[in-house]
Amino acid sequence: MQLPDDDTPPAPPVRDAGARFPRHFFAREDERDDAEFYAFPRFVTHIDGGAIAAVGALYDELGIDGEVLDLMSSWVSHFKQTPARLTVLGMNAEELAANPQAAVTVVHDLNEDPTLPFDDASFDAAVCCVSVDYLVHPVAVFGEVARVVRPGGKFVCTFSNRCFPTKAIVGWLYASDAQRCVIVADYFRKAGGWSEPMIDQRTPVHHFGDPLYAVWSTRA
Ligand SMILES: C[S@@+](CC[C@H](N)C(=O)[O-])C[C@H]1O[C@@H](n2cnc3c(N)ncnc32)[C@H](O)[C@@H]1O
């Protein structure tokens, strides 16, 4: 990211205003519209098989089922058992159309408009896998997830240590894995409507593959 030579930082975009994150926390090297970056499909997996299995195992353990929203989704949602009705929201229509677990697909740019295009209390649970680092209005989005998830429902965020670095927020790039867990827990707390978040490392500590961290909470 280009910062000026003198010590006068440029006025940062107003993002998650009032949520008290450091200046530039939500800046990104590539500030072009996300639609450009995600214009072509990427039929790849962003974490290895061990981490993917850990995501599915967590969803099973937490009983994520019923009407479920997979936020920032692609062609894979990692459920071991497909939920009764899975809605996938992401940026690339071709990827979403190829998701074998999806019943409903929605293309929507959360950085352009954090408002979710769903009615209040329309889901039993929501998940977001290896994508929370791309949100520039995460507190607004977590607040929206609280609006659309029914009381008692969970929102499960999982992530590893890999990303598209030009699209991830600066605050994420400069954080350690442990700090990233704290950042996501903070999004839940600042958004409101969520119980005290749970933080867990879901892959073994002495693990040679991609690590998998999870932060989740229950709709109050
Ligand atoms: C690293 S991929 C992860 C995809 C999928 N969740 C998975 O587990 O493989 C990041 C995903 O975030 C989505 N995404 C990125 N920026 C977004 C935005 N501004 N609004 C909505 N979705 C976005 C993209 O469509 C992409 O599928």
Side-chain angles (χ1 to χ4, degrees):
M1 192 192 52
Q2 198 68 41
L3 285 177
D5 292 335
D6 65 24
D7 60 0
T8 313
V14 178
R15 288 169 173 173
D16 272 324
R20 288 176 287 117
F21 286 94
R23 215 170 161 80
H24 300 299
F25 194 86
F26 297 109
R28 299 175 298 171
E29 183 180 329
D30 179 358
E31 290 282 12
R32 287 174 305 157
D33 274 357
D34 289 350
E36 282 186 47
F37 187 82
Y38 293 103
F40 62 90
R42 296 174 173 86
F43 291 108
V44 298
T45 49
H46 303 278
I47 43 177
D48 66 19
I52 287 172
V55 174
L58 177 63
Y59 293 167
D60 266 7
E61 192 178 308
L62 296 176
I64 305 300
D65 199 358
E67 293 183 278
V68 177
L69 172 62
D70 183 6
L71 213 58
M72 310 185 79
S73 187
S74 66
W75 65 289
V76 279
S77 286
H78 314 308
F79 286 90
K80 289 179 191 252
Q81 307 282 338
T82 302
R85 185 176 166 83
L86 180 67
T87 298
V88 294
L89 179 151
M91 290 296 292
N92 186 277
E94 260 184 87
E95 288 178 15
L96 299 177
N99 188 322
Q101 298 191 303
V104 179
T105 65
V106 178
V107 175
H108 180 87
D109 185 340
L110 292 168
N111 288 338
E112 193 179 84
D113 180 6
T115 305
L116 292 173
F118 307 112
D119 291 338
D120 295 359
S122 41
F123 295 100
D124 296 305
V127 299
C128 179
C129 181
V130 296
S131 302
V132 68
D133 41 324
Y134 305 117
L135 289 174
V136 303
H137 309 290
V139 174
V141 171
F142 277 51
E144 276 291 291
V145 180
R147 181 182 65 74
V148 302
V149 168
R150 299 177 182 125
K154 291 190 166 49
F155 179 26
V156 186
C157 265
T158 48
F159 46 90
S160 187
N161 58 5
R162 294 161 54 178
C163 64
F164 299 129
T166 59
K167 278 292 179 188
I169 57 164
V170 162
W172 191 269
L173 295 177
Y174 284 91
S176 65
D177 290 353
Q179 287 168 327
R180 289 169 179 168
C181 293
V182 173
I183 289 167
V184 177
D186 215 27
Y187 292 165
F188 277 108
R189 294 191 193 104
K190 285 187 160 91
W194 295 106
S195 67
E196 181 57 15
M198 302 289 293
I199 296 177
D200 200 5
Q201 178 166 352
R202 301 298 300 184
T203 42
V205 175
H206 300 293
H207 173 72
F208 290 107
D210 293 336
L212 198 278
Y213 305 96
V215 184
W216 70 92
S217 176
T218 305
R219 180 74 180 88

